[in-house]
Amino acid sequence: MKTIIITGGAGFIGSHVVRLFVEKYPEYKIINVDKLTYAGNLANLKDIEDRPNYEFVKADICDFDKMYELMQTRKADGIIHLAAESHVDRSIKDPFTFAQTNVLGTLSLLQAAKLYWESLPEGYEGKRFYHISTDEVYGALELTKPEGDKDGRGPYGDEFFVETTKYTPHSPYSASKASSDHFVRAFHDTYGMPTIVTNCSNNYGPYQFPEKLIPLFINNIRHRKPLPVYGKGENVRDWLYVVDHARAIDTIFHKGRIADTYNIGGFNEWKNIDIVRTLIRVTDRLLGREEGADMDLITYVTDRAGHDLRYAIDSTKLKRELGWEPSLQFEEGIEKTVRWYLDNQDWLDNVTSGDYQQYYEKMYANR
């Protein structure tokens, strides 16, 4: 039986990865390590919490002693590292927390894995440290087709982020992720640790914390609250359905080349303002309102500091070498996503109220 530690497994993307591995690989032991900060919620995994091959451990990845103990006591064969602070606005207000979690937390895990695996008779054989990163480390691309022309490679420009694109992070968040990426690669080059890094585009789907655009706006439309759009809403992002990202992680963990990098994207670029208008139309329709009735909720606000204009991932390498590609077009994915949030309003209300945090604080107070 392989033992896989998945960090940040109570979060948005992490919970989908944990669920996929627990259900698909009953012969694996899956250890979900999460600090349960505001973005971690065990309600995301209620459906698999009693599975015999699943275990939850509340722990901080920055606690090196705890990480080393976990590596030893659970005899970990692999790490899938998703735990991170990820909200750009929070990083602008509090960069120290992002450096602590994203950089030092990753270093803590790397060193714990290194010491444990090097102590084994087989060493690094059969082991793998998989680090999940972001497209934001690459910086920004030019918006050369502002009207969304369909000619050429992409609707908003012919340039894409590829695995060899130079790192040019522009926010404290992306700078912290870039630094952690460098540490992961350095541990391979220095110590021979079997590492893999992936950089993914914007994710959306069920269980996303409602500070992010799509769940925040679905909830605001539901309550007829303002929809704050940065600048003119001209910023372009590539969107990927979270279940497709989890599938990609599964594929890369098992088939990816050691010391390699893979980009994961949806070839699915949208301007923010077009995302918002689509959300309004779909949410209104599913709520039984006149489609587009809540367009007047759009409120333009001062643009975010250092707001990158365009991200676009080229995941051709992943498709060509490992056979992965997205399964959903955005229109289908956003319909499923809106429907999920409207069908799970108790989950959404519990998260937005903060009640779930008080519950976990009491649960773990004396442990």
Side-chain angles (χ1 to χ4, degrees), residues 172-302:
Y173 162 59
S174 57
S176 68
K177 290 297 289 183
S179 179
S180 67
D181 296 1
H182 292 322
F183 268 109
V184 173
R185 295 187 178 107
F187 264 64
H188 171 267
D189 295 347
T190 305
Y191 307 112
M193 180 180 286
T195 63
I196 293 178
V197 175
T198 55
N199 301 85
C200 72
S201 57
N202 280 29
N203 280 219
Y204 71 98
Y207 298 110
Q208 188 170 29
F209 190 80
E211 67 182 356
K212 298 298 179 79
L213 188 151
I214 287 177
L216 172 66
F217 280 26
I218 292 170
N219 200 36
N220 282 13
I221 295 165
R222 173 186 160 212
H223 292 291
R224 288 200 159 107
K225 295 171 64 176
L227 307 176
V229 176
Y230 282 127
K232 297 180 180 179
E234 298 293 309
N235 303 75
V236 174
R237 297 293 182 263
D238 177 32
W239 292 89
L240 178 66
Y241 191 61
V242 65
V243 175
D244 281 334
H245 188 191
R247 289 177 44 248
I249 290 171
D250 174 27
T251 299
I252 294 164
F253 180 78
H254 288 96
K255 300 179 181 179
R257 287 198 306 264
I258 296 299
D260 214 340
T261 299
Y262 298 90
N263 280 347
I264 309 172
F267 285 107
N268 183 36
E269 293 181 68
W270 285 70
K271 282 187 179 182
N272 286 347
I273 189 60
D274 293 332
I275 289 277
V276 174
R277 289 168 179 154
T278 300
L279 282 172
I280 292 171
R281 286 192 291 269
V282 173
T283 306
D284 279 345
R285 173 167 50 79
L286 293 179
L287 285 172
R289 301 172 186 170
E290 182 181 350
E291 189 169 301
D294 288 311
M295 290 291 177
D296 60 347
L297 296 176
I298 295 174
T299 305
Y300 295 98
V301 298
T302 302

Side-chain angles (χ1 to χ4, degrees), residues 67-119:
M67 294 303 102
Y68 188 36
E69 175 198 345
L70 277 174
M71 291 294 298
Q72 294 174 300
T73 58
R74 302 317 193 270
K75 297 179 171 55
D77 299 295
I79 294 176
I80 300 176
H81 177 35
L82 291 122
E85 295 284 347
S86 65
H87 192 48
V88 175
D89 287 347
R90 288 179 184 261
S91 80
I92 293 170
K93 295 176 181 176
D94 181 17
F96 285 99
T97 296
F98 282 69
Q100 178 74 25
T101 299
N102 297 352
V103 183
L104 296 181
T106 299
L107 182 56
S108 171
L109 280 169
L110 285 165
Q111 184 70 354
K114 171 187 176 295
L115 292 178
Y116 172 61
W117 288 338
E118 286 184 346
S119 73

Side-chain angles (χ1 to χ4, degrees), residues 38-78:
Y38 75 93
N41 188 350
L42 292 177
N44 299 353
L45 293 165
K46 289 290 287 185
D47 55 324
I48 58 101
E49 64 182 3
D50 295 325
R51 296 291 182 92
N53 64 329
Y54 170 73
E55 178 187 359
F56 172 71
V57 177
K58 184 179 184 298
D60 185 349
I61 60 170
C62 294
D63 184 344
F64 168 77
D65 291 337
K66 182 64 176 178
M67 294 303 102
Y68 188 36
E69 175 198 345
L70 277 174
M71 291 294 298
Q72 294 174 300
T73 58
R74 302 317 193 270
K75 297 179 171 55
D77 299 295

